[in-house]
């Protein structure tokens, strides 16, 4: 599952960069060009993948943290967890 999140972040960043570059390249052209629209769509897909991948990483880390607390043999919580 971590590999999927890594791939989502990787391809999301690439699509976001490519879409932004495409929008900037076609900024001075007339409205008949489809480069700006295509760039916006690429950027939206890239941002979606990037954010989903980052949130997936955060969820995996949270689940691993909770599982480590559940598997603790003496039931003691760490210093960081006592503050909550």
């Amino acid at each position: 599952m971590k590999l999927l999140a890594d791939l989502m972040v990787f391809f999301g960043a690439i699509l976001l960069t490519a879409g932004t570059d495409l929008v900037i390249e076609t900024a001075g052209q007339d409205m008949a060009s489809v480069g700006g629209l295509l760039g916006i769509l690429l950027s939206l897909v890239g941002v979606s993948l990037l954010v989903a991948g980052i949130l997936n990483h955060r969820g995996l880390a949270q689940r691993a943290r909770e599982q480590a607390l559940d598997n603790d043999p003496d039931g003691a919580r760490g210093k960081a967890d006592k503050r909550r």
Side-chain angles (χ1 to χ4, degrees):
M1 193 69 173
K2 188 175 180 329
L3 179 65
L4 179 64
D6 288 339
L7 290 175
M8 289 172 72
V9 170
F10 180 72
F11 287 116
I14 289 174
L15 288 176
L16 176 61
T17 304
T20 304
D21 187 45
L22 192 57
V23 168
I24 291 172
E25 279 184 24
T26 59
Q29 296 178 1
D30 58 350
M31 294 300 290
S33 70
V34 295
L37 181 61
L38 183 62
I40 290 171
L41 291 175
L42 278 177
S43 295
L44 285 174
V45 170
V47 166
S48 299
L49 284 174
L50 186 64
V51 170
I54 290 171
L55 290 176
N56 198 350
H57 271 292
R58 185 180 181 278
L60 289 171
Q62 180 68 26
R63 281 190 290 267
R65 199 174 309 121
E66 288 174 358
Q67 188 176 18
L69 285 175
D70 289 343
N71 292 340
D72 194 14
D74 59 359
R77 298 176 77 179
K79 288 181 183 179
D81 292 331
K82 287 181 182 177
R83 288 182 277 172
R84 292 185 200 176

